[in-house]
Amino acid sequence: MPADPVALTRDLLRCPSVTPAEGGALSLVESMLKDAGFTTHRVTFEEPGTDPIDNLYARIGIGAPHLTFAGHTDVVPPGDESRWSHPPFASDIEKGVLYGRGAVDMKGAIACFMAAALDHLEAHDGHPKGSISFLLTGDEEGIAVNGTIKLLQWAAQRGEKFDHCILGEPTNPQTLGDMIKIGRRGSQNGTLIVTGTQGHVAYPELADNPVRGIVALIAAINADPLDAGTAHFGASNLEFTSVDVGNKTVNLIPAEARARFNIRFNDTRTRAALREEIERRAHDAAGNRIRWRIDWEPSNSDVFVTTPGPFVAMISAAITEVTGLKPALSTTGGTSDARFIKDYCPVIEFGLLSQQMHKVDEHVATKDLVALTAIYRHILERYFQ
Ligand SMILES: [Zn+2]
């Protein structure tokens, strides 16, 4: 009997696995994979000041090629539960729609990949022509320090080698089959700080107002586009997110002004070259009139792209076969755990619809779960030909 992705998604949705709680979700996956012949490992990671987090690695087969499916069983909190038309952990189905926190992000995709893998194994005497594995974490929606990043290091230390990875984040904006993510932009936070001289507003000649300076520098930094985009990416963008003086007094010229910003950047430049460009713009505008500096925050989200080739083409073909659509190859959106996986093997992301993630009444059409399972099933069949 083929594995039922809808029943499996419902079971997972009943597990209250709000980060950092495991909620029974990983245990459910683990016991099913164990029954199917997977070797499973539960690994807990923690750091001072963070919650210990449960992770799961499960593999069947010892040979190459090795296809790993990555994902997270943790979910964001439901918020005010009274605003949900169906309780967030009840797993209700109404008119072909399944409701629950994590339906699209991303317990549904985990269930679909499990169902596809179990079906594939059943059709091939219980053994893949190579290896299938699951890299599942309970720390994606939180600060993401005790999840995929450490699980990958742990696996590498054990000698695990991955040839390709599919991450099951929700990627389709409108319809299942719309979009594969083949990369992600990098992210960089910074704070622009302009220093002046504090004084009385009635005696400006005795002070130096940093507000004038910061306004000029913000304008200069934003004056020209950072670039025009590249083959796989849109233009890099710098967005100021707050401008602060913190001055509660009406007759005081402040001593300092700060402006926070975030840059989402493409593969035009390295992170270092990007920082240089922003500092050059500030420097040119400041001359020796304005005293300024930029504090750059450390970041672990670098730009990456999995250049389209046979692997991406095979996934696209499987999607077209089931949905009739030709998926866009996109690098839009925020960061994901793919930023860590890309250091180990080529990674693409394909899952359910993205509209519903993190929303009240998060839901998935049960027909999408069936179709996604069919797509993953085609992928496995083609991958292990
Ligand atoms: Zn997610």
Side-chain angles (χ1 to χ4, degrees):
M1 207 183 75
D4 179 354
V6 177
L8 194 46
T9 304
R10 295 187 81 181
D11 289 344
L12 283 172
L13 290 180
R14 288 191 192 99
C15 303
S17 52
V18 175
T19 333
E22 186 271 332
L26 288 174
S27 297
L28 177 70
V29 173
E30 183 179 22
S31 77
M32 287 193 63
L33 292 180
K34 232 183 205 159
D35 288 348
F38 282 77
T39 306
T40 67
H41 304 268
R42 285 289 278 277
V43 247
T44 305
F45 300 117
E46 69 176 299
E47 265 181 32
T50 67
D51 294 299
I53 303 274
D54 231 348
N55 297 274
L56 171 67
Y57 179 64
R59 175 173 177 169
I60 190 163
I62 45 170
H66 182 176
L67 178 64
T68 191
F69 177 85
H72 61 90
T73 51
D74 62 324
V75 295
V76 293
D80 180 358
E81 298 198 15
S82 68
R83 293 181 57 216
W84 287 63
S85 67
H86 299 267
F89 299 104
S91 234
D92 290 346
I93 294 184
E94 193 184 313
K95 296 188 181 128
V97 176
L98 170 56
Y99 292 82
R101 175 55 86 221
V104 294
D105 186 12
M106 57 166 277
K107 289 174 170 175
I110 293 174
C112 293
F113 199 86
M114 282 176 69
L118 299 184
D119 283 352
H120 178 82
L121 292 172
E122 204 175 279
H124 296 272
D125 298 327
H127 299 286
K129 262 194 197 167
S131 304
I132 303 173
S133 65
F134 287 82
L135 272 166
L136 298 182
T137 179
D139 190 19
E140 198 273 342
E141 300 290 10
I143 47 171
V145 297
N146 294 317
T148 302
I149 189 167
K150 287 199 173 73
L151 193 58
L152 285 162
Q153 288 162 359
W154 172 91
Q157 273 160 18
R158 287 177 37 89
E160 296 291 324
K161 287 201 169 44
F162 307 107
D163 292 304
H164 295 94
C165 178
I166 297 171
L167 177 60
E169 290 288 354
T171 49
N172 301 283
Q174 303 291 338
T175 313
L176 190 74
D178 272 349
M179 187 178 281
I180 304 175
K181 301 256 168 143
I182 57 163
R184 294 278 185 160
R185 293 175 295 180
S187 176
Q188 173 71 59
N189 287 313
T191 306
L192 170 66
I193 300 153
V194 173
T195 316
T197 307
Q198 188 180 311
H200 194 298
V201 280
Y203 301 87
E205 67 281 5
L206 301 177
D208 170 20
N209 194 339
V211 172
R212 264 191 206 91
I214 207 157
V215 167
L217 295 197
I218 288 173
I221 287 170
N222 268 337
D224 294 312
L226 288 172
D227 53 62
T230 65
H232 298 295
F233 289 89
S236 302
N237 182 55
L238 182 150
E239 228 27 68
F240 280 95
T241 52
S242 80
V243 181
D244 303 291
V245 177
N247 184 8
K248 293 193 172 60
T249 313
V250 291
N251 59 359
L252 183 84
I253 292 172
E256 189 184 89
R258 292 173 164 253
R260 299 197 59 189
F261 60 87
N262 174 267
I263 312 172
R264 295 297 160 122
F265 61 96
N266 61 30
D267 53 351
T268 309
R269 309 178 181 81
T270 62
R271 186 188 297 276
L274 179 72
R275 291 178 176 190
E276 254 169 50
E277 167 67 18
I278 305 303
E279 291 186 352
R280 186 193 60 74
R281 290 181 182 200
H283 177 267
D284 290 355
N288 42 25
R289 291 178 304 124
I290 303 169
R291 282 176 291 157
W292 66 279
R293 70 173 199 273
I294 293 176
D295 284 355
W296 297 102
E297 282 177 27
S299 168
N300 58 11
S301 40
D302 249 318
V303 57
F304 78 93
V305 64
T306 298
T307 311
F311 180 63
V312 174
M314 182 270 282
I315 300 223
S316 289
I319 292 167
T320 304
E321 200 164 321
V322 175
T323 64
L325 299 174
K326 196 173 167 353
L329 308 181
S330 167
T331 56
T332 53
T335 66
S336 74
D337 275 357
R339 71 191 139 142
F340 306 129
I341 301 166
K342 63 109 169 45
D343 294 334
Y344 295 82
C345 68
V347 53
I348 66 97
E349 299 173 62
F350 184 71
L352 292 159
L353 270 55
S354 52
Q355 290 158 350
Q356 285 294 318
M357 46 184 185
H358 298 202
K359 288 198 175 161
V360 164
D361 272 345
E362 182 176 346
H363 59 263
V364 62
T366 54
K367 69 169 177 28
D368 281 355
L369 295 171
V370 174
L372 182 59
T373 304
I375 291 167
Y376 286 154
R377 182 80 167 78
H378 278 289
I379 291 171
L380 289 168
E381 213 54 50
R382 286 159 192 258
Y383 193 79
F384 294 108
Q385 252 171 22

